[in-house]
Amino acid sequence: MSVKLIAVDMDGTFLDDVKQYNRPRFLAQYARMKEQGIRFAVASGNQYYQLYSFFPEIAQEIAFVADNGAWVVCEGDDMFNGEFTVQQYNTVVDHLLTLPDIEIIACGKQWGYILKSYHPSFKLLAARYYHRLKEVDSFTGIDDVFFKFALNLPDDILAETMIALGESLEGIVVPVTSGHGSIDLIIPGLHKANGLRIVQERWGIEDHEVVTFGDGGNDIEMLTQAGYGFAMQNAPENIRALARYQAGHNNHQAVLDVIDKVLNREAPFN
């Protein structure tokens, strides 16, 4: 069975814990991928601008499924934008602002927005994931297209908050864990697998021809949709249990190890 698309999550998967990857090794692999007709996609909860910065050499050739699937850019073409209505956006913001211990990033197409009043440590954390970050006095009245909300909160209330938000905002957002102690509130149905489906239609690629890698709750759909879904060794047990295949640790270039197997047509790709 041939592989025609490799799609990777970034944090905790393709990137190591200091947000780096072995660029020379991957670019050599990518050259071989092109020779074999294999496409490459980045599928992440992160902002498009940040994802682009990791692949400047090949950004016009690959696909970006950004903001958990709400924004899809393929070969430089802006293909798809999900969007909250103004009413939905305001409903979510009004509810979130009533919750203590939660810091919010409102994720727009132009910027990620955070409040000026937030603690400097959170602003530094947010800047690691959002290359375009703007501080605002209020979340209301911002002129942008909004894709999702990213929430920062203590680990010990994460599970109960996920459930409560799912109930309070049912039909407007779906809460998913994003792999680094935080929650993303996404537009229902606009997950990474949906974004990859858009890319696959453009490139004429079937699900059974796709290899995906992930480590978090926001990767579940693409891990189960793909013919070859690989959960990382560092992923939570429930994510590993859902995936058909297992990869090694994100700090040990495990994704690149599997890509070598794809290119060399080793098991399970032979």
Side-chain angles (χ1 to χ4, degrees):
M1 194 180 292
S2 64
V3 170
K4 294 185 180 177
L5 173 64
I6 296 173
V8 301
D9 171 51
M10 291 297 282
D11 297 308
T13 301
F14 192 77
L15 300 177
D16 61 25
D17 289 348
V18 292
K19 303 283 177 273
Q20 294 178 351
Y21 70 97
N22 186 332
R23 195 174 299 250
R25 182 183 178 191
F26 171 71
L27 289 176
Q29 289 179 329
Y30 180 72
R32 291 184 65 197
M33 288 166 60
K34 289 176 68 174
E35 289 172 5
Q36 295 185 23
I38 300 172
R39 299 283 195 166
F40 183 73
V42 181
S44 171
N46 288 337
Q47 194 180 41
Y48 166 71
Y49 308 104
Q50 189 210 23
L51 300 178
Y52 188 104
S53 75
F54 283 109
F55 302 96
E57 307 94 337
I58 60 174
Q60 298 302 311
E61 301 175 9
I62 67 174
F64 295 95
V65 176
D67 282 296
N68 279 331
W71 188 2
V72 179
V73 179
C74 188
E75 296 177 283
D77 292 338
D78 193 339
M79 289 190 65
F80 176 79
N81 294 259
E83 183 178 5
F84 288 112
T85 66
V86 173
Q87 182 178 0
Q88 289 171 331
Y89 173 87
N90 288 334
T91 298
V92 175
V93 167
D94 290 346
H95 180 70
L96 292 177
L97 290 175
T98 68
L99 305 177
D101 302 319
I102 289 182
E103 293 159 317
I104 307 160
I105 304 174
C107 305
K109 185 168 184 175
Q110 299 304 319
W111 298 89
Y113 301 89
I114 60 173
L115 296 180
K116 291 178 182 176
S117 58
Y118 284 154
H119 194 277
S121 62
F122 175 63
K123 295 177 183 178
L124 283 173
L125 176 68
R128 293 179 64 192
Y129 297 97
Y130 292 84
H131 274 211
R132 296 187 67 171
L133 193 64
K134 183 175 283 190
E135 296 183 26
V136 292
D137 293 311
S138 166
F139 287 120
T140 57
I142 302 172
D143 183 19
D144 205 340
V145 173
F146 285 95
F147 300 136
K148 73 166 193 183
F149 294 86
L151 311 180
N152 185 56
L153 67 164
D155 286 347
D156 59 354
I157 64 167
L158 191 142
E160 64 191 69
T161 303
M162 285 266 294
I163 295 169
L165 287 171
E167 294 172 350
S168 302
L169 299 170
E170 186 176 4
I172 302 175
V173 300
V174 175
V176 296
T177 56
S178 53
H180 43 82
S182 52
I183 296 172
D184 283 348
L185 302 180
I186 67 172
I187 299 170
L190 300 192
H191 42 61
K192 295 180 183 182
N194 186 67
L196 286 177
R197 201 174 290 123
I198 294 167
V199 171
Q200 288 172 230
E201 287 174 5
R202 176 181 174 122
W203 284 337
I205 296 171
E206 302 291 334
D207 290 345
H208 66 83
E209 299 170 315
V210 179
V211 182
T212 56
F213 298 88
D215 74 311
N218 58 349
D219 299 315
I220 291 172
E221 291 87 359
M222 74 169 185
L223 288 175
T224 55
Q225 176 174 285
Y228 303 95
F230 282 83
M232 305 304 291
Q233 180 185 330
N234 47 284
E237 187 176 338
N238 66 310
I239 306 300
R240 286 186 277 120
L242 286 166
R244 293 184 186 89
Y245 300 95
Q246 310 293 315
H249 201 284
N250 72 301
N251 283 331
H252 300 152
Q253 301 184 34
V255 170
L256 302 188
D257 289 343
V258 177
I259 291 176
D260 275 340
K261 291 184 177 183
V262 174
L263 294 168
N264 296 331
R265 296 180 174 85
E266 300 173 22
F269 310 105
N270 52 359

PDB file of all heavy atoms in Angstrom, residues 236-266:
ATOM      1  N   PRO A 236      -0.275  10.830  26.133  1.00  0.00           N
ATOM      2  CA  PRO A 236      -1.024  10.179  27.214  1.00  0.00           C
ATOM      3  C   PRO A 236      -1.508   8.794  26.787  1.00  0.00           C
ATOM      4  O   PRO A 236      -1.696   8.524  25.596  1.00  0.00           O
ATOM      5  CB  PRO A 236      -2.208  11.128  27.445  1.00  0.00           C
ATOM      6  CG  PRO A 236      -1.772  12.444  26.901  1.00  0.00           C
ATOM      7  CD  PRO A 236      -0.849  12.132  25.759  1.00  0.00           C
ATOM      8  N   GLU A 237      -1.739   7.950  27.763  1.00  0.00           N
ATOM      9  CA  GLU A 237      -2.100   6.561  27.481  1.00  0.00           C
ATOM     10  C   GLU A 237      -3.362   6.447  26.637  1.00  0.00           C
ATOM     11  O   GLU A 237      -3.457   5.586  25.754  1.00  0.00           O
ATOM     12  CB  GLU A 237      -2.278   5.807  28.800  1.00  0.00           C
ATOM     13  CG  GLU A 237      -2.493   4.317  28.637  1.00  0.00           C
ATOM     14  CD  GLU A 237      -2.562   3.580  29.962  1.00  0.00           C
ATOM     15  OE1 GLU A 237      -2.039   4.108  30.968  1.00  0.00           O
ATOM     16  OE2 GLU A 237      -3.142   2.485  29.991  1.00  0.00           O
ATOM     17  N   ASN A 238      -4.347   7.321  26.880  1.00  0.00           N
ATOM     18  CA  ASN A 238      -5.600   7.215  26.124  1.00  0.00           C
ATOM     19  C   ASN A 238      -5.394   7.525  24.645  1.00  0.00           C
ATOM     20  O   ASN A 238      -6.082   6.966  23.786  1.00  0.00           O
ATOM     21  CB  ASN A 238      -6.668   8.129  26.718  1.00  0.00           C
ATOM     22  CG  ASN A 238      -6.334   9.603  26.580  1.00  0.00           C
ATOM     23  OD1 ASN A 238      -5.227  10.035  26.920  1.00  0.00           O
ATOM     24  ND2 ASN A 238      -7.273  10.399  26.102  1.00  0.00           N
ATOM     25  N   ILE A 239      -4.442   8.402  24.336  1.00  0.00           N
ATOM     26  CA  ILE A 239      -4.151   8.717  22.927  1.00  0.00           C
ATOM     27  C   ILE A 239      -3.433   7.545  22.274  1.00  0.00           C
ATOM     28  O   ILE A 239      -3.747   7.147  21.145  1.00  0.00           O
ATOM     29  CB  ILE A 239      -3.298  10.004  22.811  1.00  0.00           C
ATOM     30  CG1 ILE A 239      -3.957  11.173  23.551  1.00  0.00           C
ATOM     31  CG2 ILE A 239      -3.043  10.345  21.347  1.00  0.00           C
ATOM     32  CD1 ILE A 239      -5.327  11.539  23.035  1.00  0.00           C
ATOM     33  N   ARG A 240      -2.477   6.974  22.994  1.00  0.00           N
ATOM     34  CA  ARG A 240      -1.744   5.828  22.446  1.00  0.00           C
ATOM     35  C   ARG A 240      -2.681   4.639  22.205  1.00  0.00           C
ATOM     36  O   ARG A 240      -2.518   3.890  21.246  1.00  0.00           O
ATOM     37  CB  ARG A 240      -0.591   5.440  23.374  1.00  0.00           C
ATOM     38  CG  ARG A 240       0.577   6.424  23.313  1.00  0.00           C
ATOM     39  CD  ARG A 240       1.779   5.980  24.122  1.00  0.00           C
ATOM     40  NE  ARG A 240       1.617   6.332  25.539  1.00  0.00           N
ATOM     41  CZ  ARG A 240       1.596   5.471  26.534  1.00  0.00           C
ATOM     42  NH1 ARG A 240       1.706   4.173  26.293  1.00  0.00           N
ATOM     43  NH2 ARG A 240       1.457   5.871  27.778  1.00  0.00           N
ATOM     44  N   ALA A 241      -3.672   4.495  23.069  1.00  0.00           N
ATOM     45  CA  ALA A 241      -4.609   3.379  22.931  1.00  0.00           C
ATOM     46  C   ALA A 241      -5.483   3.516  21.686  1.00  0.00           C
ATOM     47  O   ALA A 241      -5.920   2.514  21.111  1.00  0.00           O
ATOM     48  CB  ALA A 241      -5.484   3.285  24.177  1.00  0.00           C
ATOM     49  N   LEU A 242      -5.725   4.750  21.251  1.00  0.00           N
ATOM     50  CA  LEU A 242      -6.586   4.989  20.096  1.00  0.00           C
ATOM     51  C   LEU A 242      -5.864   4.806  18.763  1.00  0.00           C
ATOM     52  O   LEU A 242      -6.497   4.541  17.745  1.00  0.00           O
ATOM     53  CB  LEU A 242      -7.149   6.417  20.156  1.00  0.00           C
ATOM     54  CG  LEU A 242      -8.245   6.677  21.191  1.00  0.00           C
ATOM     55  CD1 LEU A 242      -8.451   8.173  21.357  1.00  0.00           C
ATOM     56  CD2 LEU A 242      -9.540   6.010  20.757  1.00  0.00           C
ATOM     57  N   ALA A 243      -4.551   4.986  18.776  1.00  0.00           N
ATOM     58  CA  ALA A 243      -3.793   4.951  17.516  1.00  0.00           C
ATOM     59  C   ALA A 243      -3.456   3.514  17.108  1.00  0.00           C
ATOM     60  O   ALA A 243      -3.215   2.661  17.955  1.00  0.00           O
ATOM     61  CB  ALA A 243      -2.512   5.768  17.662  1.00  0.00           C
ATOM     62  N   ARG A 244      -3.440   3.280  15.800  1.00  0.00           N
ATOM     63  CA  ARG A 244      -3.105   1.945  15.298  1.00  0.00           C
ATOM     64  C   ARG A 244      -1.612   1.639  15.458  1.00  0.00           C
ATOM     65  O   ARG A 244      -1.219   0.486  15.578  1.00  0.00           O
ATOM     66  CB  ARG A 244      -3.469   1.834  13.814  1.00  0.00           C
ATOM     67  CG  ARG A 244      -4.954   1.899  13.527  1.00  0.00           C
ATOM     68  CD  ARG A 244      -5.233   1.680  12.042  1.00  0.00           C
ATOM     69  NE  ARG A 244      -6.632   1.881  11.717  1.00  0.00           N
ATOM     70  CZ  ARG A 244      -7.159   3.052  11.367  1.00  0.00           C
ATOM     71  NH1 ARG A 244      -6.386   4.125  11.288  1.00  0.00           N
ATOM     72  NH2 ARG A 244      -8.444   3.161  11.082  1.00  0.00           N
ATOM     73  N   TYR A 245      -0.806   2.686  15.427  1.00  0.00           N
ATOM     74  CA  TYR A 245       0.646   2.491  15.456  1.00  0.00           C
ATOM     75  C   TYR A 245       1.283   3.395  16.510  1.00  0.00           C
ATOM     76  O   TYR A 245       0.702   4.393  16.927  1.00  0.00           O
ATOM     77  CB  TYR A 245       1.259   2.788  14.078  1.00  0.00           C
ATOM     78  CG  TYR A 245       0.721   1.910  12.980  1.00  0.00           C
ATOM     79  CD1 TYR A 245      -0.343   2.330  12.182  1.00  0.00           C
ATOM     80  CD2 TYR A 245       1.263   0.646  12.744  1.00  0.00           C
ATOM     81  CE1 TYR A 245      -0.844   1.517  11.167  1.00  0.00           C
ATOM     82  CE2 TYR A 245       0.766  -0.174  11.731  1.00  0.00           C
ATOM     83  CZ  TYR A 245      -0.290   0.273  10.956  1.00  0.00           C
ATOM     84  OH  TYR A 245      -0.779  -0.535   9.966  1.00  0.00           O
ATOM     85  N   GLN A 246       2.496   3.017  16.915  1.00  0.00           N
ATOM     86  CA  GLN A 246       3.218   3.759  17.941  1.00  0.00           C
ATOM     87  C   GLN A 246       4.561   4.236  17.374  1.00  0.00           C
ATOM     88  O   GLN A 246       5.244   3.489  16.664  1.00  0.00           O
ATOM     89  CB  GLN A 246       3.488   2.877  19.166  1.00  0.00           C
ATOM     90  CG  GLN A 246       2.255   2.155  19.693  1.00  0.00           C
ATOM     91  CD  GLN A 246       1.226   3.101  20.268  1.00  0.00           C
ATOM     92  OE1 GLN A 246       1.558   4.020  21.010  1.00  0.00           O
ATOM     93  NE2 GLN A 246      -0.047   2.889  19.921  1.00  0.00           N
ATOM     94  N   ALA A 247       4.913   5.477  17.706  1.00  0.00           N
ATOM     95  CA  ALA A 247       6.237   6.009  17.380  1.00  0.00           C
ATOM     96  C   ALA A 247       7.000   6.217  18.683  1.00  0.00           C
ATOM     97  O   ALA A 247       6.429   6.127  19.769  1.00  0.00           O
ATOM     98  CB  ALA A 247       6.112   7.326  16.610  1.00  0.00           C
ATOM     99  N   GLY A 248       8.278   6.521  18.564  1.00  0.00           N
ATOM    100  CA  GLY A 248       9.093   6.761  19.751  1.00  0.00           C
ATOM    101  C   GLY A 248       8.836   8.136  20.351  1.00  0.00           C
ATOM    102  O   GLY A 248       7.802   8.764  20.118  1.00  0.00           O
ATOM    103  N   HIS A 249       9.794   8.630  21.091  1.00  0.00           N
ATOM    104  CA  HIS A 249       9.649   9.879  21.849  1.00  0.00           C
ATOM    105  C   HIS A 249       9.962  11.101  20.983  1.00  0.00           C
ATOM    106  O   HIS A 249      10.854  11.051  20.134  1.00  0.00           O
ATOM    107  CB  HIS A 249      10.600   9.846  23.056  1.00  0.00           C
ATOM    108  CG  HIS A 249      10.228  10.782  24.150  1.00  0.00           C
ATOM    109  ND1 HIS A 249      10.447  12.143  24.073  1.00  0.00           N
ATOM    110  CD2 HIS A 249       9.641  10.561  25.355  1.00  0.00           C
ATOM    111  CE1 HIS A 249      10.021  12.715  25.187  1.00  0.00           C
ATOM    112  NE2 HIS A 249       9.519  11.785  25.980  1.00  0.00           N
ATOM    113  N   ASN A 250       9.225  12.175  21.231  1.00  0.00           N
ATOM    114  CA  ASN A 250       9.450  13.388  20.426  1.00  0.00           C
ATOM    115  C   ASN A 250      10.851  13.958  20.602  1.00  0.00           C
ATOM    116  O   ASN A 250      11.354  14.658  19.720  1.00  0.00           O
ATOM    117  CB  ASN A 250       8.400  14.461  20.748  1.00  0.00           C
ATOM    118  CG  ASN A 250       8.581  15.099  22.112  1.00  0.00           C
ATOM    119  OD1 ASN A 250       8.562  14.403  23.131  1.00  0.00           O
ATOM    120  ND2 ASN A 250       8.740  16.416  22.150  1.00  0.00           N
ATOM    121  N   ASN A 251      11.501  13.688  21.727  1.00  0.00           N
ATOM    122  CA  ASN A 251      12.855  14.204  21.935  1.00  0.00           C
ATOM    123  C   ASN A 251      13.927  13.357  21.251  1.00  0.00           C
ATOM    124  O   ASN A 251      15.112  13.693  21.307  1.00  0.00           O
ATOM    125  CB  ASN A 251      13.165  14.287  23.435  1.00  0.00           C
ATOM    126  CG  ASN A 251      12.492  15.482  24.084  1.00  0.00           C
ATOM    127  OD1 ASN A 251      12.252  16.505  23.435  1.00  0.00           O
ATOM    128  ND2 ASN A 251      12.172  15.373  25.362  1.00  0.00           N
ATOM    129  N   HIS A 252      13.507  12.273  20.608  1.00  0.00           N
ATOM    130  CA  HIS A 252      14.473  11.358  19.980  1.00  0.00           C
ATOM    131  C   HIS A 252      14.269  11.249  18.463  1.00  0.00           C
ATOM    132  O   HIS A 252      14.627  10.230  17.864  1.00  0.00           O
ATOM    133  CB  HIS A 252      14.378   9.969  20.623  1.00  0.00           C
ATOM    134  CG  HIS A 252      14.658   9.965  22.091  1.00  0.00           C
ATOM    135  ND1 HIS A 252      14.124   9.038  22.962  1.00  0.00           N
ATOM    136  CD2 HIS A 252      15.407  10.813  22.860  1.00  0.00           C
ATOM    137  CE1 HIS A 252      14.529   9.298  24.193  1.00  0.00           C
ATOM    138  NE2 HIS A 252      15.311  10.368  24.156  1.00  0.00           N
ATOM    139  N   GLN A 253      13.686  12.296  17.850  1.00  0.00           N
ATOM    140  CA  GLN A 253      13.497  12.336  16.388  1.00  0.00           C
ATOM    141  C   GLN A 253      12.676  11.154  15.875  1.00  0.00           C
ATOM    142  O   GLN A 253      12.904  10.633  14.768  1.00  0.00           O
ATOM    143  CB  GLN A 253      14.850  12.385  15.667  1.00  0.00           C
ATOM    144  CG  GLN A 253      15.704  13.594  16.037  1.00  0.00           C
ATOM    145  CD  GLN A 253      16.994  13.682  15.250  1.00  0.00           C
ATOM    146  OE1 GLN A 253      17.058  13.306  14.078  1.00  0.00           O
ATOM    147  NE2 GLN A 253      18.041  14.187  15.887  1.00  0.00           N
ATOM    148  N   ALA A 254      11.691  10.742  16.676  1.00  0.00           N
ATOM    149  CA  ALA A 254      10.931   9.538  16.345  1.00  0.00           C
ATOM    150  C   ALA A 254      10.128   9.684  15.055  1.00  0.00           C
ATOM    151  O   ALA A 254       9.988   8.720  14.293  1.00  0.00           O
ATOM    152  CB  ALA A 254      10.007   9.172  17.501  1.00  0.00           C
ATOM    153  N   VAL A 255       9.591  10.886  14.800  1.00  0.00           N
ATOM    154  CA  VAL A 255       8.845  11.079  13.550  1.00  0.00           C
ATOM    155  C   VAL A 255       9.765  10.872  12.351  1.00  0.00           C
ATOM    156  O   VAL A 255       9.392  10.210  11.370  1.00  0.00           O
ATOM    157  CB  VAL A 255       8.197  12.479  13.511  1.00  0.00           C
ATOM    158  CG1 VAL A 255       7.626  12.770  12.122  1.00  0.00           C
ATOM    159  CG2 VAL A 255       7.103  12.601  14.570  1.00  0.00           C
ATOM    160  N   LEU A 256      10.954  11.406  12.432  1.00  0.00           N
ATOM    161  CA  LEU A 256      11.902  11.251  11.321  1.00  0.00           C
ATOM    162  C   LEU A 256      12.306   9.792  11.144  1.00  0.00           C
ATOM    163  O   LEU A 256      12.532   9.336  10.010  1.00  0.00           O
ATOM    164  CB  LEU A 256      13.130  12.132  11.548  1.00  0.00           C
ATOM    165  CG  LEU A 256      12.861  13.629  11.709  1.00  0.00           C
ATOM    166  CD1 LEU A 256      14.169  14.406  11.742  1.00  0.00           C
ATOM    167  CD2 LEU A 256      11.954  14.155  10.603  1.00  0.00           C
ATOM    168  N   ASP A 257      12.371   9.043  12.244  1.00  0.00           N
ATOM    169  CA  ASP A 257      12.673   7.608  12.141  1.00  0.00           C
ATOM    170  C   ASP A 257      11.585   6.887  11.348  1.00  0.00           C
ATOM    171  O   ASP A 257      11.884   6.032  10.501  1.00  0.00           O
ATOM    172  CB  ASP A 257      12.793   6.985  13.543  1.00  0.00           C
ATOM    173  CG  ASP A 257      14.048   7.437  14.284  1.00  0.00           C
ATOM    174  OD1 ASP A 257      14.974   7.961  13.635  1.00  0.00           O
ATOM    175  OD2 ASP A 257      14.087   7.259  15.519  1.00  0.00           O
ATOM    176  N   VAL A 258      10.318   7.230  11.621  1.00  0.00           N
ATOM    177  CA  VAL A 258       9.221   6.577  10.891  1.00  0.00           C
ATOM    178  C   VAL A 258       9.221   7.020   9.429  1.00  0.00           C
ATOM    179  O   VAL A 258       8.958   6.212   8.527  1.00  0.00           O
ATOM    180  CB  VAL A 258       7.862   6.861  11.565  1.00  0.00           C
ATOM    181  CG1 VAL A 258       6.720   6.246  10.747  1.00  0.00           C
ATOM    182  CG2 VAL A 258       7.840   6.313  12.991  1.00  0.00           C
ATOM    183  N   ILE A 259       9.512   8.302   9.181  1.00  0.00           N
ATOM    184  CA  ILE A 259       9.580   8.770   7.790  1.00  0.00           C
ATOM    185  C   ILE A 259      10.635   7.983   7.008  1.00  0.00           C
ATOM    186  O   ILE A 259      10.425   7.639   5.837  1.00  0.00           O
ATOM    187  CB  ILE A 259       9.844  10.287   7.730  1.00  0.00           C
ATOM    188  CG1 ILE A 259       8.622  11.058   8.244  1.00  0.00           C
ATOM    189  CG2 ILE A 259      10.178  10.731   6.299  1.00  0.00           C
ATOM    190  CD1 ILE A 259       8.811  12.562   8.316  1.00  0.00           C
ATOM    191  N   ASP A 260      11.753   7.664   7.654  1.00  0.00           N
ATOM    192  CA  ASP A 260      12.755   6.821   6.996  1.00  0.00           C
ATOM    193  C   ASP A 260      12.151   5.480   6.589  1.00  0.00           C
ATOM    194  O   ASP A 260      12.413   4.964   5.489  1.00  0.00           O
ATOM    195  CB  ASP A 260      13.955   6.582   7.928  1.00  0.00           C
ATOM    196  CG  ASP A 260      14.989   7.696   7.857  1.00  0.00           C
ATOM    197  OD1 ASP A 260      15.002   8.440   6.849  1.00  0.00           O
ATOM    198  OD2 ASP A 260      15.787   7.828   8.808  1.00  0.00           O
ATOM    199  N   LYS A 261      11.332   4.905   7.473  1.00  0.00           N
ATOM    200  CA  LYS A 261      10.700   3.618   7.158  1.00  0.00           C
ATOM    201  C   LYS A 261       9.733   3.754   5.980  1.00  0.00           C
ATOM    202  O   LYS A 261       9.642   2.867   5.131  1.00  0.00           O
ATOM    203  CB  LYS A 261       9.968   3.078   8.387  1.00  0.00           C
ATOM    204  CG  LYS A 261      10.895   2.637   9.504  1.00  0.00           C
ATOM    205  CD  LYS A 261      10.117   2.015  10.655  1.00  0.00           C
ATOM    206  CE  LYS A 261      11.065   1.504  11.727  1.00  0.00           C
ATOM    207  NZ  LYS A 261      10.333   0.839  12.830  1.00  0.00           N
ATOM    208  N   VAL A 262       9.015   4.868   5.937  1.00  0.00           N
ATOM    209  CA  VAL A 262       8.120   5.113   4.803  1.00  0.00           C
ATOM    210  C   VAL A 262       8.929   5.159   3.508  1.00  0.00           C
ATOM    211  O   VAL A 262       8.592   4.506   2.510  1.00  0.00           O
ATOM    212  CB  VAL A 262       7.338   6.438   4.987  1.00  0.00           C
ATOM    213  CG1 VAL A 262       6.532   6.755   3.733  1.00  0.00           C
ATOM    214  CG2 VAL A 262       6.421   6.363   6.195  1.00  0.00           C
ATOM    215  N   LEU A 263      10.005   5.938   3.521  1.00  0.00           N
ATOM    216  CA  LEU A 263      10.811   6.128   2.319  1.00  0.00           C
ATOM    217  C   LEU A 263      11.492   4.834   1.864  1.00  0.00           C
ATOM    218  O   LEU A 263      11.682   4.605   0.667  1.00  0.00           O
ATOM    219  CB  LEU A 263      11.854   7.223   2.571  1.00  0.00           C
ATOM    220  CG  LEU A 263      11.290   8.632   2.786  1.00  0.00           C
ATOM    221  CD1 LEU A 263      12.370   9.569   3.302  1.00  0.00           C
ATOM    222  CD2 LEU A 263      10.692   9.176   1.493  1.00  0.00           C
ATOM    223  N   ASN A 264      11.853   4.007   2.852  1.00  0.00           N
ATOM    224  CA  ASN A 264      12.542   2.744   2.531  1.00  0.00           C
ATOM    225  C   ASN A 264      11.584   1.571   2.378  1.00  0.00           C
ATOM    226  O   ASN A 264      12.002   0.438   2.174  1.00  0.00           O
ATOM    227  CB  ASN A 264      13.564   2.422   3.627  1.00  0.00           C
ATOM    228  CG  ASN A 264      14.678   3.463   3.706  1.00  0.00           C
ATOM    229  OD1 ASN A 264      15.015   4.088   2.713  1.00  0.00           O
ATOM    230  ND2 ASN A 264      15.226   3.659   4.900  1.00  0.00           N
ATOM    231  N   ARG A 265      10.268   1.889   2.511  1.00  0.00           N
ATOM    232  CA  ARG A 265       9.212   0.874   2.387  1.00  0.00           C
ATOM    233  C   ARG A 265       9.417  -0.296   3.342  1.00  0.00           C
ATOM    234  O   ARG A 265       9.234  -1.467   3.004  1.00  0.00           O
ATOM    235  CB  ARG A 265       9.090   0.381   0.945  1.00  0.00           C
ATOM    236  CG  ARG A 265       8.646   1.500  -0.002  1.00  0.00           C
ATOM    237  CD  ARG A 265       8.524   1.009  -1.454  1.00  0.00           C
ATOM    238  NE  ARG A 265       7.965   2.046  -2.296  1.00  0.00           N
ATOM    239  CZ  ARG A 265       8.671   3.031  -2.869  1.00  0.00           C
ATOM    240  NH1 ARG A 265       9.990   3.091  -2.668  1.00  0.00           N
ATOM    241  NH2 ARG A 265       8.091   3.939  -3.625  1.00  0.00           N
ATOM    242  N   GLU A 266       9.779   0.057   4.574  1.00  0.00           N
ATOM    243  CA  GLU A 266       9.897  -0.941   5.637  1.00  0.00           C
ATOM    244  C   GLU A 266       8.547  -1.117   6.323  1.00  0.00           C
ATOM    245  O   GLU A 266       7.632  -0.296   6.159  1.00  0.00           O
ATOM    246  CB  GLU A 266      10.962  -0.504   6.645  1.00  0.00           C
ATOM    247  CG  GLU A 266      12.355  -0.338   6.057  1.00  0.00           C
ATOM    248  CD  GLU A 266      13.346   0.263   7.045  1.00  0.00           C
ATOM    249  OE1 GLU A 266      13.096   0.164   8.270  1.00  0.00           O
ATOM    250  OE2 GLU A 266      14.353   0.850   6.622  1.00  0.00           O
TER     251      GLU A 266
END
